[in-house]
Amino acid sequence: MIEQVKGTQNIIGDNALKYLYIQNLFNSKFSDYGYQFIQTPQLEYKELFDKSIGESSEIVTKQMYELIDKGGRELVLRPEGTSSIVRYHSEFNKDLTKKYSYFGSMFRYENPQKNRYREFNQAGVEIIGLVDTYSDFQIINDSFNFINELIPETKLSINTIGSISDREQYIKVLYEYLHKNIDKLSEDSIDKLENNTLRILDSNIPKDFEVISKAPNISDYINKESKNKFDTLLDILSSSNIKYQIDNSLVRGLDYYNDLTFEFITSENVVVGGGGRYDNLAEILSLGKFNGVGVAFGVERIMNSIPLPEKSSKYYLLGTDINKMTKYSKELDKHNINYNKPSRLTKENAQFKEAKSLNVMYLINTDEDTIKNLITNETEKFNIEVILEH
């Protein structure tokens, strides 16, 4: 028997309802906000992520799905969305400022667990080109509106990590501190110490908590301009009644971030999304000089944090005579009326049970030529005009 690949999932049933609900809300909201939907290829050149994420990062060294095609080209299944969109922007819109949205599969080789799959889904938005504090604000504001409609009481955690040179200076100080306390760190954090020092601050292993809590604060190593930008953004958020909490340990895990970083955290303490500024990513990739700010949401994490959306079809077509069923079908099709129907012509009672389970409002019974309101139990003779009036 050929089994399902480990770390993948089949999205069906209740999970499919949640997935589609999130996707439809995301596409609707961000389209209205002016973001252009883009679907980038799942296959990209390996070099794109070596440069953007960092060759020494855990994603690049351990988690990317790599392959060499028949032409000898080194390819990967994309592990995240931002780098692909920056690559696209450079190829087709380099001199413009554009707003993008995306929704789709990413791939990372890691141990499967709750909310974590080797093929997983991200929903994200980016503003790329010439960006400023208002760009930062609208990414946060638009994302906050989206996630709070799905998960009320979601909180915004925010920080500034300064310029890339600020961060490099801080990493040296942090490394020295952690190295002195190496005997108090978990094995996982010790593995990250040499090449992924900042990632230790994200550790959720209890053994690391005390060391992390006493670590040097990145805010002490940030340049004045970055601090002023951050303070201005905080003032705007406050005046817009967007509540936030400053988290000085929030650094984000990808090498290309600078200045603004933020996360959205549910009341159950689940991080469902995060992002920030990446003003040097285009230069890192040798694609030009333009800036960016964005956010990405973990779709599976959202799915596990929301209740099941109500499912319903307005009409259900019932019957046991194939000729009458097809006649009614074509009449409804002709008037662009959507309706549910049985997969095959089972007994009337079985079809009725299915209609009830789908929470339909109206039952069109082709055997009796009637339409019944399943909420009020009122029945009347079928007439297409009756349906058009609904």
Side-chain angles (χ1 to χ4, degrees), residues 56 58 62 171 174-213 215:
S56 62
E58 188 173 352
K62 296 181 180 179
I171 288 173
L174 181 63
Y175 174 84
E176 290 178 6
Y177 164 78
L178 294 172
H179 197 270
K180 288 178 183 177
N181 293 276
I182 195 169
D183 58 318
K184 300 176 184 177
L185 293 174
S186 66
E187 289 186 16
D188 184 66
S189 290
I190 292 172
D191 288 342
K192 294 175 181 175
L193 186 57
E194 293 298 326
N195 296 318
N196 286 290
T197 312
L198 273 182
R199 291 292 292 162
I200 295 174
L201 297 179
D202 291 333
S203 173
N204 57 7
I205 300 172
K207 184 176 180 180
D208 296 324
F209 290 170
E210 183 181 354
V211 177
I212 292 172
S213 68

Side-chain angles (χ1 to χ4, degrees), residues 244-389:
Y244 60 84
Q245 55 190 24
I246 297 174
D247 180 358
N248 291 318
S249 68
L250 176 57
V251 294
R252 304 293 295 163
L254 304 179
D255 285 359
Y256 55 66
Y257 280 115
N258 64 275
D259 289 310
L260 172 67
T261 59
F262 60 90
E263 289 182 339
F264 294 105
I265 306 170
T266 71
S267 58
E268 302 295 320
N269 210 34
V270 176
V271 177
V272 289
R277 280 286 283 266
Y278 45 89
D279 292 338
N280 299 99
L281 179 53
E283 287 187 74
I284 291 170
L285 294 170
S286 302
L287 296 176
K289 290 189 176 183
F290 50 84
N291 307 329
V293 58
V295 63
F297 291 96
V299 175
E300 283 78 10
R301 292 189 176 195
I302 298 175
M303 287 166 63
N304 285 325
S305 300
I306 64 173
L308 186 65
E310 290 186 9
K311 60 176 182 178
S312 65
S313 299
K314 192 170 185 180
Y315 301 104
Y316 187 96
L317 193 64
L318 175 151
T320 56
D321 184 318
I322 189 169
N323 293 318
K324 295 191 74 173
M325 285 287 281
T326 54
K327 177 183 175 182
Y328 271 71
S329 290
K330 295 314 296 178
E331 181 71 5
L332 294 169
D333 293 343
K334 186 171 70 175
H335 290 87
N336 294 317
I337 297 167
N338 296 326
Y339 55 97
N340 213 314
K341 62 268 190 190
S343 302
R344 59 189 181 91
L345 296 186
T346 55
K347 292 181 180 180
E348 184 175 313
N349 188 50
Q351 293 179 39
F352 180 76
K353 285 181 179 179
E354 182 179 50
K356 292 286 283 186
S357 71
L358 293 170
N359 296 320
V360 300
M361 289 182 64
Y362 297 97
L363 184 69
I364 302 171
N365 191 323
T366 64
D367 290 345
E368 299 176 359
D369 297 312
T370 59
I371 178 168
K372 181 178 182 177
N373 186 320
L374 293 181
I375 298 174
T376 65
N377 284 323
E378 295 176 348
T379 302
E380 57 187 308
K381 200 70 176 173
F382 175 82
N383 187 315
I384 197 66
E385 298 300 326
V386 172
I387 292 182
L388 294 175
E389 289 173 4

